[in-house]
Amino acid sequence: MVPHLVTALNGPLLDLERKILDATPAIERWFRLEWQEHTPPFYCSVDLRNAGFKLAPVDTNLFPGAFNNLPQETLPLAVQAAMASIEKICPDAKNLLVIPERHTRNAFYLENVARLATIMRQAGLNVRFGTLDENVAGPVTIALSDGQKLVIEPLERSQRRLGLKNFDPCSILLNNDMSGGIPPVLENLHEQYLLPPLHAAWAVRRKSTHFSCYDDVAKKFAKLVEIDPWMINPYFAHVEGVDFQARTGEEALADAIDGVLKKIAKKYREYGITERPYVVIKSDAGTYGMGVMTVHDASEVAALTKRERAKMAATKDGLEVHDVIVQEGVYTFERIGEEVAEPVVYMIDRYVVGGFYRVHGSRERDQNLNAPGMHFVPLGFEHTALPDAHAKPGAAPPNRFYMYGVVARLGLLAASVELEKTDPEAIQV
């Protein structure tokens, strides 16, 4: 089932679709060569925004937590991709330990964990779940709405390895972004693979580093297909030392907002775009759509209410926000019915394995949709749908989905480069 998309592509993005379809052999070869130089993270999801005149990633998550929202028909793709990744990492792997988030009562998140387990079991692994919650002293059984049961167990750490009672895994799959810090129990493991590595955690990772890497990837790709890199790349600025509640760092933040807005306005004039430029201020680390706000003018920062400042001052696990990125706002012109939508693409290893639309009925096209009240509609891959180079631009959903997959893989490649650059054990040349 292909979702009924109310908004058709228009303007420059039609030209981008045509160029990407025409360059498909060169694009796929380029990715193939890039993956010879870089190792993709085990899995990844990328939030995209389609403005009609621009298609760009706005967030890249290395601990994706919504596998339950993928279309059922794409699961074989996920299993094949997981098999390919496991063969590279640990060909004789038998046991996999999955460490989920601690909020084990979130029904939707638990469905994601169950879906992950299904994929990994079909890929040939025994899967069990361990928790970082030190209050769990023995196995806890959780019943899901579809009748499945998850058993969460306390971790057991020896001097060199991590596992569960009577369970010694070759690999450990982290589905916990560790925003609050890296638990010592995960450190200094020997001959066990952590997927992804610890420096992918939000305790270490920074969005500004990721989008700096993406900037380089986008420029290389844009040269390949002969497009303006801005068509697939949001401008951004990094601001340190911001305290929303103490009102320090406001001047530097306002200057950054002004700078990014002026760059956007220049591009809008170049392409004859009549929309009003805006930026999104985000915590430089973190997820769940927390610590995010839309701004059309730098003066809005000084005018924030006490409640708005409190919301911007902390993210997941109550972590204080002091570093932010000011990212170019990308309108979303996607709609499902009357509701604003944005595509989210999921990847395992270097393969696109599905996706969905994040949909919100009470948000506008310039707002963050990762907020309470959102729901999800599977990205409908028809069983036989391959890109159709002969279709009229903007008319074939598979062509649009292919374009989503290309830009999402650029985000994946940027994450690969990012992890290489930030690897504490790598020898930096």
Side-chain angles (χ1 to χ4, degrees):
M1 187 274 289
V2 175
H4 178 61
L5 298 168
V6 177
T7 311
L9 300 178
N10 60 70
L13 213 55
L14 292 179
D15 185 48
L16 176 63
E17 179 184 296
R18 171 54 52 205
K19 285 187 174 181
I20 284 180
L21 289 172
D22 289 346
T24 295
I27 289 169
E28 296 305 326
R29 178 177 182 272
W30 181 80
F31 273 121
R32 191 164 64 246
L33 295 175
E34 289 294 322
W35 294 127
Q36 291 178 20
E37 300 294 326
H38 306 287
T39 301
F42 179 78
Y43 54 11
C44 174
S45 67
V46 176
D47 295 0
L48 300 174
R49 300 276 283 204
N50 169 14
F53 53 82
K54 177 172 186 151
L55 176 66
V58 293
D59 236 333
T60 299
N61 185 5
L62 298 181
F63 299 88
F67 276 90
N68 54 307
N69 293 315
L70 298 185
Q72 193 75 24
E73 64 267 26
T74 68
L75 291 187
L77 296 176
V79 172
Q80 288 178 325
M83 284 179 170
S85 184
I86 292 160
E87 285 172 10
K88 289 189 300 184
I89 296 166
C90 185
D92 59 348
K94 179 182 178 182
N95 296 333
L96 178 73
L97 172 62
V98 177
I99 300 181
E101 293 279 359
R102 300 185 197 209
H103 52 266
T104 52
R105 298 300 171 185
N106 182 321
F108 296 111
Y109 175 73
L110 291 171
E111 289 172 10
N112 153 75
V113 173
R115 175 63 62 82
L116 255 180
T118 298
I119 292 168
M120 303 312 294
R121 285 178 178 130
Q122 289 295 317
L125 294 168
N126 300 317
V127 180
R128 285 168 65 177
F129 306 99
T131 179
L132 292 168
D133 189 343
E134 295 175 355
N135 295 319
V136 175
V140 175
T141 301
I142 303 171
L144 304 184
S145 59
D146 62 359
Q148 292 189 77
K149 291 182 179 179
L150 293 181
V151 179
I152 309 290
E153 302 177 66
L155 296 171
E156 291 191 358
R157 173 68 196 253
S158 67
Q159 185 176 352
R160 298 171 65 85
R161 296 176 74 83
L162 180 67
L164 306 174
K165 187 175 182 179
N166 301 319
F167 190 74
D168 184 30
C170 165
S171 299
I172 299 166
L173 181 62
L174 300 172
N175 200 242
N176 181 318
D177 63 30
M178 295 170 284
S179 294
I182 295 173
V185 73
L186 296 177
E187 296 180 326
N188 302 314
L189 296 175
H190 295 273
E191 297 178 352
Q192 283 181 309
Y193 295 94
L194 279 175
L195 309 171
L198 290 179
H199 62 284
W202 279 124
V204 179
R205 190 173 175 235
R206 294 295 176 263
K207 294 178 184 179
S208 52
T209 304
H210 173 76
F211 281 102
S212 177
C213 294
Y214 183 81
D215 195 47
D216 294 336
V217 168
K219 285 174 181 174
K220 288 175 66 176
F221 179 81
K223 186 176 181 181
L224 174 74
V225 295
E226 299 180 339
I227 60 169
D228 180 348
W230 176 77
M231 301 288 294
I232 54 171
N233 189 12
Y235 290 132
F236 79 96
H238 178 217
V239 186
E240 298 179 333
V242 177
D243 189 323
F244 286 95
Q245 292 187 312
R247 305 195 65 165
T248 56
E250 280 191 2
E251 188 174 332
L253 181 56
D255 288 345
I257 293 168
D258 275 336
V260 175
L261 285 173
K262 285 175 182 175
K263 289 173 74 174
I264 303 168
K266 184 178 179 182
K267 280 295 180 184
Y268 279 18
R269 288 194 297 272
E270 180 182 338
Y271 286 100
I273 296 163
T274 58
E275 301 292 340
R276 186 185 180 191
Y278 75 99
V279 298
V280 177
I281 301 173
K282 303 179 180 181
S283 168
D284 200 23
T287 184
Y288 286 24
M290 302 175 73
V292 178
M293 72 176 180
T294 298
V295 171
H296 294 84
D297 189 277
S299 63
E300 294 174 37
V301 173
L304 289 176
T305 66
K306 187 175 180 180
R307 183 169 178 268
E308 289 169 332
R309 289 179 183 281
K311 287 179 69 175
M312 287 300 296
T315 60
K316 185 185 170 193
D317 294 338
L319 295 178
E320 294 183 358
V321 174
H322 294 297
D323 294 353
V324 300
I325 66 166
V326 177
Q327 187 179 66
E328 174 184 351
V330 181
Y331 285 94
T332 178
F333 274 53
E334 301 276 33
R335 284 183 179 270
I336 295 180
E338 297 298 314
E339 298 181 307
V340 176
E342 64 185 11
V344 183
V345 176
Y346 270 55
M347 290 155 286
I348 294 178
D349 198 76
R350 58 194 176 100
Y351 305 102
V352 174
V353 298
F356 51 83
Y357 282 103
R358 180 183 288 119
V359 186
H360 209 299
S362 57
R363 292 272 168 142
E364 301 299 326
R365 55 195 178 91
D366 63 348
Q367 290 182 304
N368 171 35
L369 304 188
N370 189 2
M374 63 182 168
H375 62 99
F376 306 97
V377 175
L379 258 175
F381 291 87
E382 294 175 319
H383 291 291
T384 59
L386 287 173
D388 182 0
H390 304 292
K392 181 181 177 182
N399 289 356
R400 190 185 299 197
F401 297 162
Y402 176 69
M403 194 160 61
Y404 290 163
V406 168
V407 177
R409 282 184 286 163
L410 295 177
L412 177 71
L413 180 56
S416 306
V417 176
E418 170 197 356
L419 290 179
E420 290 164 13
K421 285 187 173 182
T422 57
D423 185 349
E425 296 182 4
I427 298 174
Q428 304 297 341
V429 180

